[in-house]
Amino acid sequence: MELHDVWFVLIAVLWTGYFFLEGFDFGVGVLTKLLARNRPEKRVLINTIGPVWDGNEVWLLSAGGATFAAFPEWYATLFSGFYLPLLLILVCLIVRGVAFEYRVKRPEENWQRNWESAIFWASLLPAFLWGVAFANIVRGVKIDQDFNYAGGVLDLLNPYALLGGLVTLSLFTFHGTVFVGLKTVGEIRERARKLALRVGLVTALLALAFLLWTQSDRGDGVSLVAMSVAVASLLVALVAARAGREGWAFALSGLTIVAAVAMLFLTLFPNVMPSTLNPDWSLTVTNASSSPYTLKIMTWCAGIATPVVLLYQGWTYWVFRKRIGTQHIAETVH
């Protein structure tokens, strides 16, 4: 296996880790309006991800940085062609981070309600747009002979991509719902378990349609296995959620994300960004990669830094592993 193939796999792993971790982040943000009934319950939801949300975004920075260094042509075409949706995602992530910090800086009702609305929308929009972006990457876009994006924003809003956006939005919301059930106690935990069943059923229907569409267009035997794992784990996650086994439900919803992302990258390889104008103009792991020397240096750096990142992030989750409820929320921060 060549180094550019290795880095394709590593970038796939980084995006998978990001969607697994930030997925329930986005889901919890969406649930601040779907699940919470009052201000203390909204605070409980926010506190479930409070210690970890910013650490989860490290995976996005790593995935973007690795793409820039390992596949500069891919990075250039992707970020120029998808400039507006990616800019909107970036703005949402900034607003979302500010909202977490500023929500309780003042006690006024309007102040807190506005920041809560910001958390909701800045979680919902990226959850949808990431699906649109990755669906377009897999489907292919208009790339010319100079490896430049030749389409417009409206070209990205095709039926396949919009379905992909609905899948990631519903899947992340389901992932967040079972996470809330895992991290809370009392009435909010019971409501989360019931909501997980409804959201999970919608997710299963959307995901099955999207994955079958992907498999029929670009799939092979290996991607079929990944699709089967994704669908099966999602269905078993629903069973676990119904039985009140939140730990299993969360692990299985995470496995669904892992298998679904793996399927997308399997159907994409050896391309990194197919061209719908001419297959010969597609960006591949070969023509989009950096030099072998650059990839070699990157491999050594990643081998040293990655275990450190995994250790400190795992330690953070261990420290903040206990469940919380409204009884743990101080009256002054409602």
Side-chain angles (χ1 to χ4, degrees), residues 31-45 109 116 187-188 190-192 194-195 198 326:
L31 291 175
T32 55
K33 284 193 178 293
L34 299 183
L35 184 64
R37 292 180 176 174
N38 51 48
R39 183 136 291 117
E41 288 188 352
K42 291 183 179 181
R43 185 65 185 179
V44 168
L45 293 179
E109 179 78 15
E116 289 163 1
E187 184 181 352
I188 194 169
E190 293 302 316
R191 293 206 310 273
K194 295 176 181 178
L195 181 61
R198 298 196 293 270
T326 53

Short mmCIF file of all heavy atoms in Angstrom, two decimals, residues 31-45 109 116 187-188 190-192 194-195 198 326:
data_model
loop_
_atom_site.label_atom_id
_atom_site.label_comp_id
_atom_site.label_asym_id
_atom_site.label_seq_id
_atom_site.Cartn_x
_atom_site.Cartn_y
_atom_site.Cartn_z
N LEU A 31 -31.70 18.99 20.33
CA LEU A 31 -32.64 18.57 21.37
C LEU A 31 -32.98 19.67 22.37
O LEU A 31 -33.94 19.52 23.13
CB LEU A 31 -32.08 17.36 22.12
CG LEU A 31 -31.99 16.06 21.31
CD1 LEU A 31 -31.31 14.98 22.14
CD2 LEU A 31 -33.36 15.60 20.85
N THR A 32 -32.22 20.75 22.39
CA THR A 32 -32.54 21.84 23.31
C THR A 32 -33.93 22.41 23.03
O THR A 32 -34.54 23.01 23.92
CB THR A 32 -31.50 22.96 23.24
OG1 THR A 32 -31.37 23.42 21.88
CG2 THR A 32 -30.14 22.47 23.73
N LYS A 33 -34.43 22.22 21.81
CA LYS A 33 -35.80 22.64 21.50
C LYS A 33 -36.77 21.47 21.40
O LYS A 33 -37.96 21.64 21.63
CB LYS A 33 -35.83 23.46 20.21
CG LYS A 33 -35.32 24.88 20.35
CD LYS A 33 -35.66 25.71 19.14
CE LYS A 33 -35.19 27.15 19.29
NZ LYS A 33 -35.93 27.87 20.35
N LEU A 34 -36.27 20.29 21.07
CA LEU A 34 -37.16 19.14 20.88
C LEU A 34 -37.45 18.39 22.17
O LEU A 34 -38.51 17.77 22.29
CB LEU A 34 -36.54 18.17 19.87
CG LEU A 34 -36.28 18.69 18.46
CD1 LEU A 34 -35.75 17.57 17.58
CD2 LEU A 34 -37.54 19.30 17.86
N LEU A 35 -36.53 18.43 23.11
CA LEU A 35 -36.65 17.59 24.30
C LEU A 35 -36.85 18.39 25.58
O LEU A 35 -37.69 18.03 26.41
CB LEU A 35 -35.41 16.70 24.43
CG LEU A 35 -35.41 15.67 25.57
CD1 LEU A 35 -36.53 14.64 25.37
CD2 LEU A 35 -34.06 14.95 25.62
N ALA A 36 -36.07 19.45 25.76
CA ALA A 36 -36.13 20.22 27.01
C ALA A 36 -37.44 20.99 27.11
O ALA A 36 -37.90 21.59 26.14
CB ALA A 36 -34.94 21.17 27.09
N ARG A 37 -38.02 21.00 28.30
CA ARG A 37 -39.29 21.69 28.52
C ARG A 37 -39.15 22.99 29.28
O ARG A 37 -40.08 23.80 29.32
CB ARG A 37 -40.25 20.76 29.29
CG ARG A 37 -40.71 19.55 28.48
CD ARG A 37 -41.64 18.69 29.30
NE ARG A 37 -42.17 17.57 28.51
CZ ARG A 37 -42.93 16.60 29.00
NH1 ARG A 37 -43.26 16.62 30.30
NH2 ARG A 37 -43.35 15.64 28.22
N ASN A 38 -38.04 23.20 29.93
CA ASN A 38 -37.82 24.41 30.71
C ASN A 38 -36.33 24.74 30.72
O ASN A 38 -35.51 23.99 30.20
CB ASN A 38 -38.38 24.26 32.13
CG ASN A 38 -37.88 22.99 32.81
OD1 ASN A 38 -36.69 22.68 32.79
ND2 ASN A 38 -38.80 22.24 33.41
N ARG A 39 -36.00 25.86 31.35
CA ARG A 39 -34.61 26.31 31.34
C ARG A 39 -33.67 25.38 32.08
O ARG A 39 -32.56 25.11 31.60
CB ARG A 39 -34.55 27.73 31.91
CG ARG A 39 -33.17 28.35 31.90
CD ARG A 39 -33.16 29.77 31.43
NE ARG A 39 -33.45 29.90 30.03
CZ ARG A 39 -34.52 30.55 29.54
NH1 ARG A 39 -35.39 31.06 30.37
NH2 ARG A 39 -34.71 30.65 28.25
N PRO A 40 -34.01 24.84 33.26
CA PRO A 40 -33.10 23.89 33.89
C PRO A 40 -32.82 22.67 33.03
O PRO A 40 -31.69 22.17 33.00
CB PRO A 40 -33.83 23.50 35.18
CG PRO A 40 -34.70 24.68 35.49
CD PRO A 40 -35.14 25.19 34.16
N GLU A 41 -33.82 22.17 32.30
CA GLU A 41 -33.59 21.00 31.45
C GLU A 41 -32.69 21.35 30.27
O GLU A 41 -31.87 20.54 29.84
CB GLU A 41 -34.92 20.43 30.97
CG GLU A 41 -35.70 19.73 32.07
CD GLU A 41 -36.93 19.01 31.54
OE1 GLU A 41 -37.25 19.18 30.34
OE2 GLU A 41 -37.56 18.27 32.32
N LYS A 42 -32.83 22.57 29.74
CA LYS A 42 -31.92 22.99 28.69
C LYS A 42 -30.49 23.05 29.21
O LYS A 42 -29.54 22.68 28.52
CB LYS A 42 -32.34 24.34 28.12
CG LYS A 42 -33.64 24.30 27.33
CD LYS A 42 -33.98 25.64 26.72
CE LYS A 42 -35.27 25.55 25.90
NZ LYS A 42 -35.63 26.83 25.28
N ARG A 43 -30.37 23.51 30.45
CA ARG A 43 -29.04 23.58 31.05
C ARG A 43 -28.46 22.18 31.23
O ARG A 43 -27.25 21.96 31.03
CB ARG A 43 -29.12 24.30 32.40
CG ARG A 43 -27.77 24.54 33.05
CD ARG A 43 -26.94 25.49 32.23
NE ARG A 43 -25.61 25.64 32.80
CZ ARG A 43 -24.65 26.40 32.27
NH1 ARG A 43 -24.89 27.07 31.18
NH2 ARG A 43 -23.47 26.48 32.84
N VAL A 44 -29.30 21.22 31.59
CA VAL A 44 -28.83 19.83 31.73
C VAL A 44 -28.29 19.33 30.40
O VAL A 44 -27.21 18.73 30.34
CB VAL A 44 -29.98 18.92 32.23
CG1 VAL A 44 -29.59 17.45 32.10
CG2 VAL A 44 -30.31 19.23 33.68
N LEU A 45 -29.04 19.56 29.33
CA LEU A 45 -28.60 19.10 28.01
C LEU A 45 -27.27 19.73 27.63
O LEU A 45 -26.36 19.04 27.15
CB LEU A 45 -29.66 19.44 26.96
CG LEU A 45 -30.99 18.70 27.06
CD1 LEU A 45 -31.94 19.16 25.96
CD2 LEU A 45 -30.80 17.20 26.98
N GLU A 109 -34.25 37.05 30.49
CA GLU A 109 -34.92 35.99 29.76
C GLU A 109 -34.61 36.03 28.26
O GLU A 109 -34.29 35.00 27.65
CB GLU A 109 -36.43 36.10 29.98
CG GLU A 109 -37.27 35.07 29.25
CD GLU A 109 -37.26 33.72 29.93
OE1 GLU A 109 -36.85 33.66 31.12
OE2 GLU A 109 -37.67 32.73 29.29
N GLU A 116 -29.95 30.37 23.34
CA GLU A 116 -30.43 28.99 23.18
C GLU A 116 -30.89 28.72 21.75
O GLU A 116 -30.66 27.63 21.20
CB GLU A 116 -31.57 28.73 24.17
CG GLU A 116 -31.11 28.64 25.62
CD GLU A 116 -32.25 28.79 26.62
OE1 GLU A 116 -33.41 28.94 26.16
OE2 GLU A 116 -31.97 28.76 27.83
N GLU A 187 -36.77 12.40 34.77
CA GLU A 187 -37.79 12.48 33.73
C GLU A 187 -37.18 12.74 32.35
O GLU A 187 -37.65 12.20 31.35
CB GLU A 187 -38.79 13.58 34.07
CG GLU A 187 -39.95 13.69 33.09
CD GLU A 187 -40.91 14.80 33.46
OE1 GLU A 187 -40.75 15.39 34.54
OE2 GLU A 187 -41.81 15.08 32.64
N ILE A 188 -36.15 13.56 32.29
CA ILE A 188 -35.56 13.88 31.00
C ILE A 188 -34.94 12.65 30.35
O ILE A 188 -34.95 12.49 29.12
CB ILE A 188 -34.51 15.02 31.15
CG1 ILE A 188 -34.16 15.58 29.77
CG2 ILE A 188 -33.27 14.55 31.88
CD1 ILE A 188 -33.35 16.86 29.86
N GLU A 190 -36.16 9.57 30.68
CA GLU A 190 -37.27 8.78 30.16
C GLU A 190 -37.81 9.37 28.86
O GLU A 190 -38.13 8.64 27.92
CB GLU A 190 -38.39 8.71 31.21
CG GLU A 190 -38.01 7.93 32.46
CD GLU A 190 -37.61 6.50 32.13
OE1 GLU A 190 -38.33 5.87 31.31
OE2 GLU A 190 -36.60 6.02 32.66
N ARG A 191 -37.92 10.68 28.80
CA ARG A 191 -38.39 11.31 27.57
C ARG A 191 -37.40 11.12 26.43
O ARG A 191 -37.79 10.97 25.28
CB ARG A 191 -38.66 12.80 27.79
CG ARG A 191 -39.83 13.07 28.73
CD ARG A 191 -40.46 14.43 28.46
NE ARG A 191 -39.47 15.49 28.42
CZ ARG A 191 -39.03 16.16 29.49
NH1 ARG A 191 -39.50 15.85 30.70
NH2 ARG A 191 -38.16 17.12 29.36
N ALA A 192 -36.11 11.14 26.76
CA ALA A 192 -35.08 10.92 25.74
C ALA A 192 -35.21 9.51 25.16
O ALA A 192 -35.06 9.31 23.95
CB ALA A 192 -33.69 11.13 26.34
N LYS A 194 -37.92 7.67 24.91
CA LYS A 194 -39.10 7.60 24.05
C LYS A 194 -38.87 8.34 22.73
O LYS A 194 -39.27 7.88 21.66
CB LYS A 194 -40.32 8.17 24.78
CG LYS A 194 -40.74 7.35 25.99
CD LYS A 194 -41.90 8.01 26.73
CE LYS A 194 -42.30 7.19 27.96
NZ LYS A 194 -43.39 7.84 28.72
N LEU A 195 -38.21 9.50 22.83
CA LEU A 195 -37.94 10.27 21.61
C LEU A 195 -36.97 9.53 20.71
O LEU A 195 -37.07 9.61 19.47
CB LEU A 195 -37.39 11.65 21.98
CG LEU A 195 -37.08 12.59 20.81
CD1 LEU A 195 -38.35 12.88 20.00
CD2 LEU A 195 -36.47 13.89 21.32
N ARG A 198 -38.75 7.30 18.19
CA ARG A 198 -39.39 7.99 17.06
C ARG A 198 -38.36 8.52 16.08
O ARG A 198 -38.49 8.34 14.87
CB ARG A 198 -40.27 9.12 17.59
CG ARG A 198 -41.43 8.65 18.47
CD ARG A 198 -42.46 9.74 18.64
NE ARG A 198 -41.94 10.87 19.40
CZ ARG A 198 -42.00 10.98 20.73
NH1 ARG A 198 -42.57 10.01 21.45
NH2 ARG A 198 -41.52 12.04 21.34
N THR A 326 -31.66 17.73 36.70
CA THR A 326 -32.00 19.10 37.08
C THR A 326 -31.61 19.40 38.52
O THR A 326 -31.40 20.56 38.88
CB THR A 326 -33.50 19.35 36.90
OG1 THR A 326 -34.24 18.33 37.60
CG2 THR A 326 -33.89 19.30 35.43
#
